[in-house]
Amino acid sequence: MKNTVSTLIKQKQSGDKITMLTAYDYSTAKMQDECGINCILVGDSLGMVMLGYENTLPVTMEDMIHHTKAVARGAKNAFIVTDMPFMSYQTGVYDAVKNAGRLIKEGNANAVKIEGGIEVCEHIKAITNASIPVVAHLGMTPQSVNVFGGFKVQGKELERAEQIVEDAINIEKAGACGVVLECVPAELAEVITKKLSIPTIGIGGGAGCDGQVLVYQDMLGMFSDFTPKFAKKFENVGEIMKSGFKKYIDETKSGTFPSSEHIFKIDNEIISKIKEKYQTED
Ligand code: KIV
């Protein structure tokens, strides 16, 4: 059964934790879906983990649509949320609605995610009025990396903590169907979770959130450029992949791959005729 906004609200109400992971391609989305993940986030983190950029700022609408289409083909049940990339909504409400529409219509996402609080409430209202569910994103919002001066924890000081709580209250009023809380103190995330009736999804926000999200390459040990404190490594797939790549290289070089079980046969009579015609020596 396809998960929807109401599935997630019910999960918050019943205390059933919401599971979300990022995915950017068909095969990964299919595997996560088969494992029973509730939501898949096609995050603009794809700029870093898939495309090798230093941050998420260069990611385009075309990148997001391309990867969302692939994920949507793989995920039958998971609720698919796609990030609106940098400058696809900050330029105005009209752009926000138009680009959100493209992610739904061309990408087949079920909802969009935008970063920011009070300053994007008009955008949230307008996108929601266009029948597109919006997930908000507060705390350490990666598209503001140049304002924060790096990927830093947010909300440790009273003023900033109050601002994040106010942002959360306002994005809910504006119609957001959920909110990602990134890199905020666990107790602050818990206050917000209790205050809101929409689900909170934490990433570096502690166990008090209604759900958790991680970048899949981080939790599988596949991305070594930068490992945030919150990114628990559930498996070391990166090492397994490297071991596979090395074995392939060694066996190809030594000639032990491909062996008889990986080749196709031809009738002796046919190959003899071919050899007679094209090959002077055996
Ligand atoms: O882009 C992304 O993957 C995200 C998560 C870090 C929440 O926004």
Side-chain angles (χ1 to χ4, degrees):
M1 270 259 290
K2 183 81 183 169
N3 289 321
T4 62
V5 171
S6 30
T7 323
L8 307 182
I9 303 274
K10 276 187 203 138
Q11 281 186 261
K12 177 179 176 105
Q13 288 163 352
S14 68
D16 175 19
K17 294 280 185 187
I18 298 165
T19 56
M20 181 189 252
L21 281 172
T22 64
Y24 318 97
D25 68 282
Y26 170 80
S27 307
T28 309
K30 190 161 180 264
M31 283 193 273
Q32 293 177 354
D33 202 65
E34 284 166 359
C35 291
I37 199 87
N38 297 132
C39 305
I40 293 179
L41 172 66
V42 187
D44 59 356
S45 51
L46 69 84
M48 298 168 83
V49 295
M50 300 295 287
L51 304 177
Y53 297 135
E54 211 176 288
N55 54 45
T56 59
L57 305 186
V59 175
T60 65
M61 276 295 295
E62 265 53 48
D63 293 331
M64 296 312 298
I65 290 169
H66 176 74
H67 287 276
T68 305
K69 274 180 173 172
V71 167
R73 285 191 285 266
K76 300 273 169 286
N77 299 321
F79 185 70
I80 302 166
V81 181
T82 291
D83 262 333
M84 297 198 66
F86 184 55
M87 284 298 132
S88 68
Y89 59 95
Q90 288 92 341
T91 49
V93 171
Y94 176 81
D95 285 350
V97 177
K98 197 158 187 283
N99 286 322
R102 287 192 68 199
L103 294 170
I104 304 291
K105 211 168 162 159
E106 297 172 47
N108 280 324
N110 304 124
V112 298
K113 176 164 80 58
I114 68 177
E115 297 182 8
I118 293 172
E119 72 280 11
V120 294
C121 279
E122 285 310 312
H123 308 62
I124 295 174
K125 264 185 219 160
I127 299 170
T128 308
N129 282 342
S131 305
I132 299 170
V134 181
V135 175
H137 187 157
L138 297 172
M140 205 294 292
T141 44
Q143 290 177 15
S144 302
V145 62
N146 288 322
V147 176
F148 297 146
F151 298 109
K152 294 178 181 163
V153 180
Q154 299 293 310
K156 281 187 159 185
E157 312 78 22
L158 178 63
E159 203 182 323
R160 180 75 177 116
E162 265 177 7
Q163 189 190 0
I164 296 171
V165 178
E166 288 298 326
D167 279 340
I169 293 168
N170 278 284
I171 57 95
E172 171 167 286
K173 276 193 198 141
C177 67
V179 58
V180 167
L181 298 176
E182 179 162 357
C183 278
V184 294
E187 284 163 303
L188 181 65
E190 213 175 314
V191 170
I192 295 170
T193 301
K194 286 188 179 140
K195 185 90 190 145
L196 301 189
S197 46
I198 56 170
T200 60
I201 318 274
I203 175 159
C209 294
D210 297 307
Q212 298 296 322
V213 57
L214 284 175
V215 170
Y216 91 84
Q217 284 90 342
D218 285 341
M219 52 84 69
L220 292 183
M222 293 168 67
F223 184 70
S224 53
D225 291 5
F226 167 70
T227 309
K229 184 180 180 195
F230 54 75
K232 178 172 174 178
K233 217 181 262 183
F234 287 81
E235 294 289 354
N236 207 340
V237 175
E239 284 308 312
I240 297 172
M241 287 174 78
K242 279 195 200 165
S243 155
F245 296 147
K246 281 181 194 154
K247 281 182 190 159
Y248 166 76
I249 293 167
D250 289 348
E251 290 191 26
T252 301
K253 295 265 187 208
S254 69
T256 51
F257 173 80
S259 61
S260 58
E261 67 198 284
H262 304 114
I263 60 171
F264 305 99
K265 300 276 187 201
I266 187 171
D267 193 271
N268 279 343
E269 215 175 300
I270 297 172
I271 196 63
S272 298
K273 282 183 187 160
I274 295 287
K275 282 183 179 174
E276 216 174 275
K277 189 167 174 185
Y278 297 104
Q279 193 176 287
T280 43
E281 309 159 9
D282 210 15

